[in-house]
Amino acid sequence: MNIVEASLSDLEAFFAYLSTHLEENGESHSFLFQPIPKSEKQVSEQTRNKFRNGFDVNIGCSGWRKLWLAKDSLGNIKGHIDLRHHGDEFSFHRVLLGMGVDRRCRKQGIGERLVSTVLAFCYKTPSIDWLDLNVLSDNFPAKKLYQKCGFHTIGEIQDYYRIDGNSVSETTMTKSTKM
């Protein structure tokens, strides 16, 4: 499995992978990992545009985005991790992380490799001091991975979402990128 920085030419394959990934969101064999109804299985046009447009924005500017992909020997996407600005005017020293791994490839170290790749990028980027993430509180495997990678829980908002009639809490975790 190779971890590569994505380019614009990877985005259509990434969107197809992400749509497949969303089909598993909250299904019987999977935790709810995206705060969206189970019926929403496609990547929205708004999200697609954020990725497309974010590639051309410099780090530290509103709207920037970076994406890395885990690809198998045939070039098929099996996992991803992305970074993006927080969106607030005075929080450009903090970035948000989002990630996912194909359900058939979990527990093979891909998630750790993706996080390590992003951490290496953050350590080399002077303007990034903190790496933050939000995870649905019941997604215990993801929280365990993030803790293993050095993230610390800084809070939980109970009943943050109402998804398919259910209350869903969200946990916020962070890691300093300054050594």
Side-chain angles (χ1 to χ4, degrees), residues 7-155:
S7 64
L8 283 173
S9 63
D10 289 311
L11 286 182
E12 290 311 312
F14 170 67
F15 297 146
Y17 148 84
L18 203 52
S19 291
T20 300
H21 194 60
L22 288 175
E23 289 176 13
E24 301 169 357
N25 188 39
E27 293 300 321
S28 60
H29 59 274
S30 177
F31 285 92
L32 187 67
F33 52 81
Q34 283 291 320
I36 58 175
K38 294 176 189 177
S39 61
E40 291 185 27
K41 306 289 187 192
Q42 297 297 313
V43 181
S44 72
E45 195 59 35
Q46 179 182 13
T47 297
R48 290 171 187 259
N49 286 333
K50 285 179 182 178
F51 275 97
R52 286 182 190 118
N53 299 335
F55 274 53
D56 293 330
V57 179
N58 292 326
I59 294 173
C61 296
S62 183
W64 75 268
R65 195 174 280 255
K66 301 280 282 177
L67 173 67
W68 291 264
L69 303 171
K71 293 184 176 183
D72 66 15
S73 60
L74 300 174
N76 298 310
I77 300 171
K78 299 299 180 180
H80 78 282
I81 192 164
D82 69 277
L83 294 179
R84 58 197 178 275
H85 79 290
H86 256 280
D88 296 327
E89 185 177 351
F90 300 105
S91 62
F92 284 105
H93 63 292
R94 304 187 80 96
V95 297
L96 285 171
L97 175 151
M99 71 173 289
V101 175
D102 182 296
R103 131 182 106 73
R104 294 169 297 277
C105 298
R106 293 182 186 147
K107 298 188 187 234
Q108 297 177 21
I110 296 169
E112 284 182 70
R113 290 185 55 210
L114 287 164
V115 171
S116 293
T117 299
V118 161
L119 285 172
F121 172 80
C122 290
Y123 292 144
K124 293 187 299 188
T125 308
S127 62
I128 299 174
D129 294 341
W130 293 94
L131 186 54
D132 301 327
L133 63 89
N134 298 310
V135 59
L136 300 182
S137 296
D138 288 344
N139 190 344
F140 301 111
K143 287 171 40 177
K144 184 178 176 182
L145 167 69
Y146 298 134
Q147 289 169 339
K148 186 176 182 178
C149 293
F151 286 83
H152 302 281
T153 299
I154 58 172

